[in-house]
Amino acid sequence: MKGIVVYKSKYGATKKYAQWLCEETGFDMCEVSEAKIENLLEYEVIVFGGGIYASGVPVTGFIKKNIKKLVGQKIIVFCDGASPYEENAFKTIREHVMKDDLKDIPFFYCRGAWNMEAMSLVDRNLCKMLQKAVAKKDPSDYEIWETALMEAGSDTKDWTDKSYLKPIIDEINR
C-alpha cells in the first residue's frame, strides 16, 4: 500500500509522530506547506497530522480546500496536544475541526509536548496569560486541559508515545 504522511509541526511533536508513523508503515512524508495535490493523488492512503492550536488543526485547511480531489484516497487525520486524552474534549475538537465534508474522516488524538522556551514570543505570552486566568479558578473546577496547563507550568514536558499510533495504524490497515 502506497501512503504518505502530510503534517504541520510547530514545535516538533507532530513531526515526531509523522516520523514514527513513516517508520512503522514505510510511508513517505512531507510538510503540508510542501504538499501538492497532484502528487498526493498518487497515494492510496494519506495521513494528515497537526497540533491543536486555538481548537484548530492547521492541516484541515488543506484538506477542506482539496477534499473533492481526494475522492478514492483513504484519508486519516490525527492531532496532538498537551492535554491528556479526554473523550468529551476530543469530541468537542472533532466537532469544531472535522465538520461538513470532513465529518466522516477518521480522526485521532496523540498526546504531544510542552516547551515554553521553544514557543514563539506570542505563543509563550498567550500561554502565560491563559495560565494566569486559569489560576484564578478553583482547581477542583478545572477542565482536563486546564489541569494539564497548570501542571506543565513553564517546565518542559514530552508526553509523545508511539503507542498513540496504534489506532491510526489499525485504521490504515482496515
Side-chain angles (χ1 to χ4, degrees):
M1 170 178 351
K2 188 173 180 183
I4 188 167
V5 179
V6 180
Y7 70 96
K8 168 72 175 161
S9 188
K10 201 167 182 180
Y11 297 112
T14 306
K15 184 175 183 179
K16 184 187 287 189
Y17 280 117
Q19 289 171 327
W20 283 342
L21 195 53
C22 290
E23 289 169 10
E24 292 292 320
T25 61
F27 286 5
D28 294 333
M29 182 173 98
C30 79
E31 290 188 49
V32 72
S33 61
E34 298 171 4
K36 297 195 178 7
I37 191 62
E38 309 80 46
N39 297 341
L40 295 184
L41 297 176
E42 300 173 13
Y43 294 93
E44 298 168 73
V45 178
I46 306 170
V47 179
F48 290 93
I52 300 170
Y53 302 104
S55 300
V57 179
V59 293
T60 57
F62 180 91
I63 302 168
K64 288 175 189 173
K65 179 181 172 188
N66 294 291
I67 193 69
K68 302 282 191 240
K69 297 174 185 168
L70 294 170
V71 175
Q73 276 79 17
K74 178 183 257 188
I75 307 297
I76 299 167
V77 179
F78 74 88
C79 63
D80 61 82
S83 295
Y85 179 83
E86 197 278 320
E87 186 66 35
N88 289 330
F90 182 68
K91 182 180 176 194
T92 300
I93 291 167
R94 179 179 180 73
E95 289 169 355
H96 178 72
V97 173
M98 304 297 289
K99 54 188 171 191
D100 302 323
D101 291 340
L102 309 188
K103 70 180 182 329
D104 295 326
I105 295 174
F107 186 58
F108 299 93
Y109 182 81
C110 304
R111 191 155 188 208
W114 179 264
N115 185 344
M116 290 277 270
E117 288 181 21
M119 290 181 192
S120 70
L121 181 62
V122 171
D123 286 351
R124 188 170 44 252
N125 285 336
L126 286 171
C127 288
K128 286 179 182 178
M129 288 186 337
L130 190 56
Q131 285 173 328
K132 284 181 183 177
V134 171
K136 294 176 183 175
K137 294 173 69 173
D138 181 338
S140 64
D141 293 331
Y142 286 176
E143 292 182 39
I144 193 163
W145 68 268
E146 292 170 321
T147 300
L149 177 73
M150 298 310 284
E151 286 175 357
S154 59
D155 295 339
T156 298
K157 306 276 186 181
D158 186 349
W159 302 284
T160 57
D161 189 317
K162 285 184 180 182
S163 67
Y164 286 111
L165 298 177
K166 184 178 181 341
I168 299 168
I169 293 168
D170 290 346
E171 183 64 33
I172 289 168
N173 294 323
R174 183 168 300 151

